[in-house]
Every structure is written in C-alpha cells, then in structure tokens.
Amino acid sequence: MPEEQPYYGKHGEPRKYDPTFKGPIYNRGCTDIVCCIFFIICILGYVAVGILAWSQGDPRKVIYPTDSRGQFCGQAGTPLETKPLLFYFNIMKCASPMVLLEFQCPTTQMCVEKCPDKFMTLLKAYANKEDFKYYKNFCKEGLEGLTVTQILSSGLCPAMLTPSKPFTRRCFPALDQKKGGEITVGNNSKFDDGEGNIRDAKDLVAGVKNATVVIEARQVVMKIFEDYTQSWYWILIGLVIAMLISLLFIVLLRFLAGIMVWVMIVMVILVIGYGIFHCSMEYVSLKSEAGSNVTLKDLGFQTDFSVYLHIRQTWLAFIIILAIVEVVIILLLIFLRNRILIAIALIKEASRAIGYVMSALFYPLFTFALLSIVIAYWAVTAVFLSTSNQPIYKVFNDTACDHSRKICEPANFSTSSMKAECPDSKCLFAFYGGETVYHKYLIGLQFYNVFLFFWCANFVTALGQMTLAGAFASYYWALVKPDDMPAFPIFSSLGRSLRYHTGSLAFGSLILSIIQIIRVLLEYIDHKLQGTQNKCTKFLLCCLKCCFWCLEKFIKFINRNAYIMVAIYGKNFCTSAKDAFFLLMRNMIRVAVLDKVTDFLLFLGKLLIVGLVGIFAFFFFSGRVKAFENTAPNLHYYWVPILTVVVGSYLIAHGFFSVYAMCVDTLFLCFCEDLERNDGSLARPYYMSASLHDILLGNKAVEETEEPTQSSTHQPDDQDVQLKQ
C-alpha cells in the first residue's frame, strides 16, 4: 500500500493531518517537568512556613484583648478568665476609639469583669466606702493606706469613670447622639474629668464627626449581626432555590436549548422592564413626601442605607441605570440576531456534550472545596504569622521626657534609670514585634504566604478548567459517541491532568500569580504614598495599575485556551499557548461572532437567575407582599439578607454556567482544529455534528469561502469509521 501523502487543511494556516490522532485519550507524556518539580518544592516550603508559623504564633492575640502587662483578658485557665473586657484609664488620650483596635493607646489598660455603668470620680468615691469598693474594680492592686494624690501619681486608678459599653471586648464610652446632633455619654452632654474640669462629651473622641461615625458604625454592625441571626435560615432557603433554579435551567438547556435561550432573553427584558416600572412608581409616590427632593450629594454618606430609599434621586438613578441596560441588551439582540442563532447551535452542542458528561455539572463543587482548603490554609497561616511577634513595651509620659516611646522592661522599670529621670512615666504594652532573625524576615514570610496563596488558587482553577476541557474534548473527538469515550470522562480527565500535566498547570498559574502579586504591590505602594505623591507619580501608578489589570485579563484568556490545547494534544504549556493563540487569531471572526456571543447569552442566563431570586427575596424580606407579612423576620435592614441572597445566587449560577462556558470554549477550539485537520471527505470526515456543521459552515457571515457541497460529508458512517481507524 503506497504511503499516504500528508493532508493540509484549507481553513487558515495549514494543519498537518494525523491519522493516528484519536483525541485527548492517547499519546500522553509528562509536560513542563521542571516547573512541576519547582511547584512541589514551593508547596513543601509553604508547608514548612505554616509549621513554623503555627509553632511561633499565638492566635489568642487576635481573639483576646491585651492589657498593659501583655496579659490576655478572659483567657480560660488564667487568673483573668473572669475578666474578659479591656478597660482604658483615660480614653481621651487616644486619638479616636478606632485607634484602640490597634492596641497602641498611650494610657494604662487593664482587664475588668464589667464595664463601668455610672459617672464617678476618684476624689468623690474615696470619701464613700461603698463607692470606693465599686471603684476598686477598675484599679490596680496596692491601694491600702494611700491617699488620692498618691493613687493618682502612682497611676493605680483612673481619675474618673464614665458609663461604657463593651464592643469588640473593649469598654467604649456609652456615646449617643441626640436629634440636634449633640453628643452625649450616659445621657449627659458634660462630665467631670476627675481633675476639677467639666468637659464636653465630644471630648471623649477626636471630634464630633469621628464620634458620629464610630457610634453609627457600631450600631450598624450590631444591627446587621442581629439581622443575620434572624434571617440566616431564610437566606439558606433562598440560596437553595437559586441552586434548584440553576440546575433546572441547565437541565432544560439540555433538551430545549433553542427555546430556553429565547425564553431567557425575553424574561431578562421583562425583569429589567419590571424593575424600571417599579422604580418609576416609587419615584412618583415620593413626589409628595417631605424631604424626598434632597440630593444624594447633600445627604452625604449614611450608614442606614434605608434613608436613600426615601430620596427621589435614588430611584431616578435606578431608572436611568436599568433603562441603559435595557436599551443596550435590546440593541445587541437586534444587531446580533443572526449570530444568536449560531450561538444557540453551539449551546445545543454543549448541551449534548454535557448530556454525556453529566458529572461535569457537579465538578465546581470539587473546585470550591479545594479553593476553600487553600483559602483556609492561607488565612490560618496569615493569622499565626501576624501573631508570632513578641510583646513590646514602651515608655509613656505626659510631660517632656528623653526616654518617651523608648523600649522598656516592665519587670524592672520601677528601679531603672528611665523611671528615675522621668518619675511620672509608665512602661506600658505598645504592640507586638521582635528583633530575632525570624521576626526580621516575618514580612518576607507573609509575602511568601500571599504569593503561594495566589499560585495555589490559580492552580486549582486551572485544574478545573483542564479537567473539564479534557472531558468535553473526549466527547468531541469520539467518532462513535459514547462508545469511543472513556467510561468516566471527568475522572479520566482529572487523572490525566494530574499525572501528566501538573507542570503545565503550575507554569500557567505561576505566570498569572506573578502578575497578580505585582498588582498587589502596586496597590500597596499607592496606599503608602497616599497624600505625599505628586500628580506625575499618581498618573504613573494609575497607568501601571491599568496596564497590569489588562495584562491579567489577557493572561487569563490565554491560559484558559492553552489548558484546552494541553488537554487535547498533551503538549507543554508554551507550545499549547502558542497554538491556541494562533488558532484563535486565524479564526478571529469566529471568536467574535460565536464565542463571545455565546458568553453574552450565558451571562444573560446568570442575570435572569439572579434577577428572579433577587425579586423574590426583595418582596419577601421587605414585607411588600401581605402573604409574607407574618412569615418574614423583623429586620433592621432588609437589604442585608437581600444582598446576601443576590451575591450568593450569582456565585451559584456562575458555578453551573461556568461548566457550560468551558464546554463551549472547548468545543469551539475543537471545531477550529477539526476544520484544519479534516476536509469532510469519506477518508477524513468532520467530527462535528450535522447541525453544528450546517449552521457554522453554512452561514456566510461565519465562513465566506466554504463550499456548500461539503455539508453532505460531515457525518461519518460505518465505512468512515473503518477508514479512520
């Protein structure tokens, strides 16, 4: 038998025909071995960093507040177990209560059982036995036989007590704000500071504005927490509904792809139209309400977001945004109506592929589990690293002192030269630090932790993409479906990816991680230079951030298609990335016409699911429907569970539709490869289905040079199979 001459496809740049090619199942070999070894070494180093952090770190520093001696308040098994709250002797020495969260307030701090609940000064309490007994709960030991002057000079007691409330395990003044904007503490606008001065309540914080933010922020946080405790089970029900709708949508796409796409498009338009109608009704109804004409600029930032819903300008903004979205979608549908028919054919083919690989729908759960492990390991390691410092004590003094803010030792400070030169100074806990080699390189270890987090997270995402691509590619390149497909396509593809292509996955994810860590560094530099940078520096940083954002998007696109080519041919990452890039460039029109239109349709599907669940959540939690008035929980902010359900629904819908998107991208690349490998003859039949061939190649907008006579040679019969084999 004469040797067969090589065949070169006539679609774009020639691709040599390989009669031995049978899809992604055979002819595998390990790729990018050096990067695989490097990745394994880095993972082992990551484990070593975790072990080192866990041996040195102490998460109690995050959980429990620390007093001036570096002791943990409320820690079980210690003398301070029954004193879980941190009390500040003179909170006015702190710039703001927010500074207290950084553990660097220059005043004595001690652990107490309860926060003070009344106004009291040491001078008045000392004269009353019962009052002084109560006052001692907020003082150090060793008060016997001392006068008020001696107690104050020794720093054993605070000069005054103010009504306080616990927040983040610390005693904050019980600040409040009256309707007129006046700041009060314990319902009083003034108080005695214990030194013979009558002070305003606003002096307890750095200005009225900061006090208002702290008060309202504290109230909002507590109310949001209460809302979650009241509505968490309803939120779970909403997320389950979103999952069921997504699953139902995917199943219906499997059997009624064409009808479901058009139904989806119509419903998205109707849902957005209903949103415009509802916002218009709200806008009109607020016309007669007093104060509704206030502008958002005049209103400023409000922690109670429900205030914005009583402003007409808010609803006008909603109307404009929704109207723009509606017009854009309608215009796209009008101009892309022919392309949508082609995209529907690709979605139908994807539905058939998913029908043969139904386990792919649940693979995102596996990816989610792996990502959860990666995130949890990073978070735990970061906490242990950040808490592995030693307590640092510094000298704090109210008057001029040469040793102020210098490091000191509390054990021998009373007999030190610092105390002798500055009699009224104190050696107080300042922060956590250290001077050892480990502490010097702690920032580097944190950086390594962040970088490995990016690398591992990108690796898990890449593994999911390659696994799905391999499974769907095995469907496309099977002449007889499902006989030529592996028994378990997902597990088979996962095994191939880990066994042969771990190095390629690590290589692609490493490139992406380097770009992401550069973006993090740029954000860090921008934050550090805030307020000191000139316009030129600001412009340069803005350009760099924009360029690296675009580069990250481009690399993600290249990586995604490179993983598909690796799954199909089993070549190394660079070769696959090059092949994928030039293949897409040779089919640039098809990429714009088919792939991106299909992505747009799938995005509309996610938008529809989020819209349906969001509307249901809005009417349920807001109590707008009388049938749900007695069922819905009583909430401070009904937007809290609504936003939670909406965001959760989008993530769930994205998880299901990401399988479809990966399937479409894989089939699209396989289709382009099929055109370059085969000619549709009996000897070299197309692997694509009849409907896909007729729509993709029969449409002039997609392929102007295609001969109509080829449409009858796409589907292989038994003779074709024998010739192929």
Side-chain angles (χ1 to χ4, degrees):
M1 184 174 180
E3 183 179 354
E4 185 177 10
Q5 295 296 321
Y7 166 76
Y8 293 89
K10 52 189 173 183
H11 297 275
E13 185 177 308
R15 172 76 72 176
K16 185 176 180 180
Y17 173 71
D18 182 9
T20 64
F21 178 72
K22 296 183 180 180
I25 303 177
Y26 305 101
N27 300 328
R28 291 278 132 176
C30 295
T31 57
D32 298 299
I33 299 176
V34 174
C35 194
C36 177
I37 296 174
F38 180 64
F39 180 65
I40 293 174
I41 293 174
C42 290
I43 291 296
L44 293 176
Y46 196 23
V47 173
V49 170
I51 294 174
L52 181 63
W54 297 339
S55 63
Q56 299 290 328
D58 190 351
R60 295 177 302 174
K61 298 172 184 177
V62 176
I63 300 173
Y64 303 104
T66 310
D67 66 5
S68 297
R69 298 179 180 178
Q71 303 176 99
F72 300 117
C73 301
Q75 182 187 353
T78 66
L80 300 178
E81 180 178 1
T82 59
K83 298 181 178 181
L85 304 175
L86 189 66
F87 171 71
Y88 297 86
F89 272 28
N90 190 354
I91 200 170
M92 288 186 290
K93 290 186 178 181
C94 309
S96 166
M98 298 300 292
V99 178
L100 302 182
L101 300 178
E102 300 178 0
F103 310 103
Q104 296 182 13
C105 183
T107 186
T108 303
Q109 304 151 39
M110 64 176 297
C111 302
V112 296
E113 185 176 352
K114 294 180 180 180
C115 295
D117 57 3
K118 61 181 73 173
F119 282 109
M120 193 174 291
T121 63
L122 177 61
L123 185 61
K124 293 181 179 180
Y126 191 81
N128 187 297
K129 187 176 181 180
E130 291 297 325
D131 289 345
F132 191 59
K133 182 179 180 181
Y134 173 81
Y135 208 96
K136 285 182 179 179
N137 294 321
F138 308 98
C139 296
K140 298 180 181 179
E141 298 177 352
L143 301 178
E144 291 75 10
L146 299 180
T147 63
V148 173
T149 304
Q150 292 173 331
I151 293 174
L152 289 176
S153 61
S154 302
L156 300 178
C157 286
M160 62 157 184
L161 298 179
T162 58
S164 304
K165 292 182 180 180
F167 182 65
T168 64
R169 296 188 179 226
R170 293 163 179 82
C171 293
F172 286 85
L175 297 170
D176 201 356
Q177 186 178 18
K178 294 183 178 180
K179 292 183 178 180
E182 184 181 21
I183 301 297
T184 63
V185 56
N187 296 324
N188 294 326
S189 59
K190 297 184 181 297
F191 65 94
D192 188 345
D193 65 357
E195 298 178 358
N197 302 316
I198 303 299
R199 309 284 293 270
D200 291 331
K202 64 182 181 181
D203 294 339
L204 290 170
V205 289
V208 178
K209 183 177 180 180
N210 290 338
T212 304
V213 171
V214 173
I215 297 165
E216 294 182 352
R218 180 176 63 189
Q219 293 173 346
V220 168
V221 169
M222 296 304 296
K223 289 179 180 179
I224 289 176
F225 179 76
E226 291 176 5
D227 287 345
Y228 274 121
T229 59
Q230 294 291 327
S231 61
W232 65 269
Y233 47 91
W234 293 110
I235 292 175
L236 289 180
I237 292 174
L239 296 179
V240 170
I241 293 174
M243 184 183 66
L244 294 177
I245 293 176
S246 301
L247 187 59
L248 177 63
F249 202 94
I250 295 296
V251 173
L252 291 177
L253 273 179
R254 167 67 182 90
F255 300 101
L256 303 169
I259 297 175
M260 284 300 299
V261 169
W262 288 112
V263 169
M264 175 186 67
I265 293 173
V266 173
M267 290 189 68
V268 167
I269 294 175
L270 291 177
V271 168
I272 297 177
Y274 173 78
I276 296 174
F277 172 76
H278 178 77
C279 293
S280 301
M281 296 298 295
E282 292 286 347
Y283 179 78
V284 173
S285 64
L286 289 174
K287 186 175 182 180
S288 59
E289 186 173 322
S292 61
N293 291 323
V294 178
T295 63
L296 294 174
K297 183 178 180 180
D298 295 334
L299 185 64
F301 176 75
Q302 299 291 326
T303 53
D304 186 0
F305 293 102
S306 61
V307 174
Y308 295 105
L309 300 180
H310 297 282
I311 305 300
R312 296 185 74 197
Q313 198 176 79
T314 302
W315 295 103
L316 180 62
F318 288 158
I319 293 172
I320 294 174
I321 294 172
L322 292 176
I324 292 174
V325 173
E326 182 92 325
V327 171
V328 170
I329 291 177
I330 292 175
L331 290 177
L332 287 175
L333 293 175
I334 292 174
F335 289 106
L336 299 177
R337 58 188 183 278
N338 293 328
R339 308 293 183 264
I340 290 175
L341 295 175
I342 304 170
I344 289 175
L346 202 54
I347 291 177
K348 286 182 178 179
E349 189 67 17
S351 299
R352 295 191 189 96
I354 291 177
Y356 285 106
V357 194
M358 287 298 292
S359 57
L361 292 176
F362 302 97
Y363 186 83
L365 297 177
F366 178 69
T367 301
F368 176 77
L370 291 180
L371 284 176
S372 300
I373 294 173
V374 171
I375 294 173
Y377 185 88
W378 163 78
V380 172
T381 303
V383 169
F384 274 86
L385 282 174
S386 62
T387 58
S388 57
N389 286 315
Q390 298 172 349
I392 301 297
Y393 302 88
K394 288 190 175 183
V395 177
F396 290 96
N397 198 62
D398 294 335
T399 59
C401 178
D402 294 336
H403 302 290
S404 181
R405 301 303 187 270
K406 289 185 178 180
I407 297 177
C408 60
E409 289 293 335
N412 57 2
F413 182 73
S414 59
T415 58
S416 65
S417 59
M418 295 181 182
K419 182 67 173 178
E421 296 178 18
C422 305
D424 60 343
S425 62
K426 303 179 184 66
C427 183
L428 304 178
F429 169 77
F431 55 86
Y432 289 103
E435 298 295 332
T436 65
V437 176
Y438 171 75
H439 295 108
K440 288 181 180 179
Y441 291 98
L442 201 55
I443 296 179
L445 295 177
Q446 285 282 23
F447 179 83
Y448 186 78
N449 182 36
V450 174
F451 179 73
L452 262 292
F453 164 71
F454 281 129
W455 197 358
C456 293
N458 290 326
F459 180 86
V460 170
T461 303
L463 177 62
Q465 292 175 345
M466 186 179 290
T467 300
L468 293 173
F472 294 130
S474 65
Y475 159 83
Y476 186 94
W477 296 106
L479 265 178
V480 181
K481 302 175 178 61
D483 295 343
D484 291 345
M485 294 174 58
F488 302 99
I490 285 291
F491 295 105
S492 176
S493 179
L494 178 61
R496 287 196 306 271
S497 300
L498 290 175
R499 181 179 179 183
Y500 298 109
H501 308 305
T502 299
S504 298
L505 293 170
F507 194 3
S509 54
L510 174 62
I511 297 173
L512 183 58
S513 301
I514 292 174
I515 296 173
Q516 289 174 336
I517 203 68
I518 292 175
R519 290 191 63 200
V520 171
L521 290 176
L522 288 174
E523 292 292 342
Y524 176 77
I525 294 173
D526 189 23
H527 176 72
K528 284 295 183 181
L529 297 179
Q530 200 74 24
T532 60
Q533 59 192 7
N534 55 35
K535 292 184 178 180
C536 181
T537 306
K538 189 174 183 179
F539 174 76
L540 181 61
L541 278 174
C542 185
C543 291
L544 286 174
K545 289 193 290 184
C546 180
C547 290
F548 276 96
W549 179 84
C550 295
L551 181 61
E552 181 182 352
K553 297 298 180 184
F554 176 75
I555 293 298
K556 283 183 177 180
F557 174 76
I558 292 297
N559 282 6
R560 183 182 179 92
N561 291 282
Y563 297 142
I564 296 175
M565 297 299 283
V566 172
I568 296 174
Y569 293 110
K571 298 180 181 179
N572 61 55
F573 177 82
C574 291
T575 302
S576 299
K578 182 194 70 173
D579 292 343
F581 178 77
F582 286 111
L583 180 63
L584 292 173
M585 290 301 100
R586 295 194 297 269
N587 297 270
M588 187 180 299
I589 296 178
R590 288 193 180 96
V591 173
V593 171
L594 299 178
D595 204 29
K596 297 309 166 189
V597 175
T598 307
D599 289 342
F600 171 69
L601 293 179
L602 294 178
F603 172 74
L604 289 183
K606 291 185 280 189
L607 199 64
L608 175 61
I609 293 173
V610 172
L612 291 175
V613 177
I615 290 175
F616 172 78
F618 173 77
F619 283 110
F620 179 79
F621 290 110
S622 64
R624 301 295 179 93
V625 180
K626 292 184 178 180
F628 298 142
E629 277 184 335
N630 298 326
T631 307
N634 295 321
L635 304 173
H636 298 287
Y637 309 119
Y638 61 81
W639 51 264
V640 171
I642 293 175
L643 287 180
T644 306
V645 169
V646 167
V647 174
S649 299
Y650 179 81
L651 294 177
I652 291 172
H654 178 74
F656 280 100
F657 279 91
S658 64
V659 176
Y660 250 94
M662 197 66 205
C663 182
V664 168
D665 290 345
T666 303
L667 296 182
F668 178 75
L669 276 183
C670 290
F671 160 75
C672 295
E673 281 286 306
D674 197 5
L675 285 180
E676 296 191 353
R677 282 182 167 277
N678 306 302
D679 61 355
S681 64
L682 293 177
R684 301 180 182 91
Y686 289 128
Y687 284 81
M688 68 187 75
S689 65
S691 59
L692 190 63
H693 178 280
D694 292 339
I695 292 181
L696 294 180
L697 297 184
N699 192 288
K700 295 182 180 180
V702 179
E703 184 61 51
E704 295 287 343
T705 61
E706 186 58 34
E707 299 178 7
T709 56
Q710 290 184 352
S711 60
S712 61
T713 59
H714 54 270
Q715 189 65 31
D717 52 17
D718 295 338
Q719 184 180 2
D720 298 335
V721 177
Q722 295 175 2
L723 289 172
K724 195 73 175 179
Q725 293 174 345

